[in-house]
Amino acid sequence: MKSAFYGALLAVVCAIGGAQAQTAPAKPGNTEEMKPANWLFVQVADSVSVDDKTITLKGIAPQTVMFADRPERMTGDAPTANFVKFWTSGKDSFQQDPPNATLTVVVDGKSQVASVELTNPVLNGDTLTYTYKVLGQDKPVSGTNASLFIDWWYGPGPYWHGGGCWRGPWGHLHCRPGW
């Protein structure tokens, strides 16, 4: 009788332990906790449509590339959906201080470049729309092979992974050393 009880108890403990192991993500090996940095972001898309108020990136990559300049020299990427959710996070968020960005597109085989300020990102599937304000003399134009270079944000940032940096479930930014 005791062995049946202990056998059942062991089965319950193993089941609970297995469920917890499935919900807690494993920490990647060879990581090191890093301080916040000035992050710059790059989003690429198959094409872009521009009107007087919005820039709409179509076929947006599922990952937003990010990097920090010297002295940190960290790289990584964030799911674009998390980048958009992170837009309003913190007292110094992009919502509070909209970023500058440079949009480059190809039109009739030639590169076109425009500087803008971005606000109000909305992601719908693989389409990302921003409201914008022109910062220079050149207005953004519709085209293909779009790249959007977004000015820096200081802090840890959205959940990122790959390429060297990731944000663990406990909230700390980690990067693989070795640059």
Side-chain angles (χ1 to χ4, degrees):
M1 190 80 147
K2 279 187 179 181
S3 64
F5 172 75
Y6 288 121
L9 181 60
L10 179 61
V12 170
V13 169
C14 288
I16 291 171
Q20 288 178 341
Q22 290 175 0
T23 58
K27 180 179 175 180
N30 193 24
T31 61
E32 152 183 348
E33 191 169 327
M34 302 295 283
K35 64 183 179 188
N38 288 329
W39 291 105
L40 298 140
F41 304 94
V42 182
Q43 296 176 327
V44 295
D46 297 331
S47 64
V48 63
S49 297
V50 178
D51 64 26
D52 289 338
K53 296 180 183 178
T54 61
I55 292 171
T56 302
L57 298 160
K58 298 175 184 174
I60 187 83
Q63 301 292 2
T64 296
V65 175
M66 51 186 273
F67 61 96
D69 202 358
R70 294 177 187 151
E72 289 85 8
R73 295 183 178 181
M74 296 180 290
T75 63
D77 62 343
T80 298
N82 288 2
F83 177 85
V84 171
K85 287 179 193 174
F86 197 73
W87 194 269
T88 60
S89 296
K91 65 181 178 83
D92 295 323
S93 69
F94 279 154
Q95 182 176 358
Q96 297 296 321
D97 186 13
N100 297 341
T102 298
L103 176 66
T104 64
V105 299
V106 175
V107 178
D108 297 328
K110 295 182 181 179
S111 180
Q112 303 290 319
V113 179
S115 294
V116 295
E117 180 183 89
L118 300 174
T119 56
N120 306 318
V122 176
L123 182 63
N124 186 8
D126 72 345
T127 301
L128 177 58
T129 302
Y130 290 100
T131 304
Y132 77 94
K133 179 172 78 173
V134 176
L135 295 179
Q137 294 180 3
D138 297 323
K139 292 183 179 180
V141 296
S142 300
T144 60
N145 301 315
S147 296
L148 186 64
F149 299 86
I150 302 171
D151 203 356
W152 68 274
W153 180 83
Y154 181 80
Y159 178 86
W160 30 69
H161 56 80
C165 294
W166 63 285
R167 190 165 176 74
W170 44 87
H172 299 292
L173 177 64
H174 301 268
C175 292
R176 289 178 179 85
W179 265 66

